[in-house]
């Protein structure tokens, strides 16, 4: 069985920098350390309000990232133009609300099929792989297929936030079934959001999962053990090379 690879989300290095509107810590530096420690991709979310990652970060990352750059973004015209100019390997379309602390759920594909189909075609037209961040719901997974997305990223937030064992087992089952359906439809299936050193194990073992996007927990641990050690520890837990 092949295990998923780790993509490190460095948004929260930028959160710390922006708290002081200064130049450190630099998410670009963090991304390079993460790659050196074995991360196989770097993920950033350029939000409309620029609360953490800035345009400069994405542009410099594009020049220096040696693995893959995954740009998470809302499907707005501004962001599509940005992606077309920066050319990340992957664009992950996510929902975005100004007042939220972080992305709060998957994208609801139903009801914006026409708009998304246009956005996806524009990005794929220049060779960018498009991933859709969705909840593990059959109708959403089937809609991703209809939209001709390359990948889906299953939202693991409900699994991560489930307090009791029973709830967690139920959410894990939803992810397993969603992953199976996605693969049957020919989509690459990834996962992320809210994953930590304590809850990543069962998700990493979901059959056929290709990539895990993990940010907050790794950056939090880096404060104590350093970025390279934090990345290595997460890779060891996932079990991937
Ligand atoms: N995947 C997506 C689509 C996200 O929006 C985020 C948060 O930016 C993550 C993964 C990473 O989540 P976390 O920071 O909780 O690991």
């Amino acid at each position: 069985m092949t295990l998923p690879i780790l993509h490190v989300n460095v948004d929260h290095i930028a959160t710390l920098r922006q708290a002081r509107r200064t130049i450190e810590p630099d998410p670009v530096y963090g991304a390079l350390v993460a790659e050196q420690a074995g991360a196989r991709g770097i993920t950033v979310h350029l939000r409309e309000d620029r609360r953490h990652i800035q345009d400069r970060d994405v542009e410099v990352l594009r020049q220096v990232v040696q693995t893959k750059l995954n740009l998470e973004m809302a499907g707005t015209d501004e962001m599509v133009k940005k992606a077309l100019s920066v050319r990340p390997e992957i664009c992950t379309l996510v929902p975005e609300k100004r007042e939220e602390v972080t992305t709060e759920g998957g994208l609801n594909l139903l009801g914006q099929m026409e708009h998304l189909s246009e956005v996806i075609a524009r990005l794929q037209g220049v060779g960018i792989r498009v991933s859709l961040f969705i909840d593990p719901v059959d109708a959403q997974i089937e809609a991703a297929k209809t939209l001709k997305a390359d990948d889906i990223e299953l939202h693991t937030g409900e699994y991560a936030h489930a307090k009791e064992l029973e709830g967690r087992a139920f959410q894990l089952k939803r992810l397993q079934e969603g992953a199976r359906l996605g693969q049957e439809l020919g989509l690459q299936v990834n996962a992320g959001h809210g994953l930590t050193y304590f809850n990543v194990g069962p998700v990493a073992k979901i059959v056929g999962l290709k990539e895990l996007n993990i940010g907050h927990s790794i950056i939090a641990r880096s404060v104590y053990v350093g970025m390279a050690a934090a990345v290595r520890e997460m890779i060891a837990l996932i079990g991937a090379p």
Side-chain angles (χ1 to χ4, degrees):
M1 185 178 114
T2 55
L3 291 156
I5 57 173
L6 174 65
H7 285 195
V8 175
N9 179 317
V10 294
D11 290 354
H12 296 301
I13 300 180
T15 301
L16 188 54
R17 177 191 61 192
Q18 295 311 112
R20 284 290 179 96
R21 302 261 186 282
T22 178
I23 57 166
E24 63 180 5
D26 191 332
V28 174
Y29 188 92
L32 296 181
V33 175
E35 281 191 328
Q36 291 291 318
R40 301 273 293 276
I42 299 298
T43 301
V44 285
H45 184 175
L46 185 66
R47 295 184 72 102
E48 187 193 13
D49 62 12
R50 306 298 198 269
R51 71 171 70 156
H52 40 51
I53 292 293
Q54 306 296 305
D55 296 63
R56 164 269 180 200
D57 300 329
V58 181
E59 282 148 23
V60 180
L61 282 167
R62 174 61 300 174
Q63 292 171 40
V64 299
V65 163
Q66 301 291 315
T67 54
K68 284 187 176 148
L69 181 62
N70 176 8
L71 178 63
E72 292 178 0
M73 55 181 236
T76 59
D77 191 51
E78 181 206 0
M79 285 303 156
V80 173
K81 284 185 180 140
K82 176 59 77 181
L84 294 180
S85 112
V86 169
R87 304 285 177 104
E89 278 80 12
I90 311 153
C91 272
T92 302
L93 299 179
V94 300
E96 205 174 289
K97 291 191 227 113
R98 257 177 195 274
E99 61 281 10
E100 69 193 356
V101 175
T102 180
T103 316
E104 281 167 359
L107 197 58
N108 183 8
L109 308 181
L110 311 161
Q112 46 173 339
M113 296 290 282
E114 207 175 312
H115 166 68
L116 287 171
S117 149
E118 206 179 291
V119 167
I120 293 168
R122 283 174 77 190
L123 296 169
Q124 287 176 336
V126 297
I128 298 172
R129 204 170 102 204
V130 179
S131 179
L132 301 175
F133 181 58
I134 55 174
D135 291 322
V137 170
D138 288 2
Q140 300 290 351
I141 298 167
E142 282 155 7
K145 174 68 181 173
T146 306
L147 285 167
K148 301 194 176 72
D150 300 285
D151 298 14
I152 52 174
E153 179 179 339
L154 295 178
H155 177 231
T156 50
E158 286 189 68
Y159 160 81
H161 298 134
K163 292 267 180 295
E164 275 135 36
L165 277 181
E166 214 174 285
R168 183 164 289 194
F170 173 72
Q171 295 299 341
L172 183 64
K173 193 154 179 283
R174 289 181 71 210
L175 292 166
Q176 288 163 336
E177 286 169 359
R180 192 178 317 126
L181 175 61
Q183 290 170 67
E184 276 167 16
L185 294 174
L187 295 159
Q188 174 169 317
V189 184
N190 312 316
H193 201 85
L195 295 176
T196 69
Y197 294 82
F198 301 100
N199 67 22
V200 74
V203 173
K205 289 183 185 63
I206 294 176
V207 176
L209 217 56
K210 291 287 192 266
E211 295 165 4
L212 293 178
N213 284 289
I214 309 180
H216 184 263
S217 191
I218 292 175
I219 305 307
R221 193 170 188 82
S222 301
V223 172
Y224 308 114
V225 304
M227 185 83 187
V231 170
R232 275 191 226 107
E233 286 174 33
M234 185 58 85
I235 290 172
L237 287 173
I238 295 169

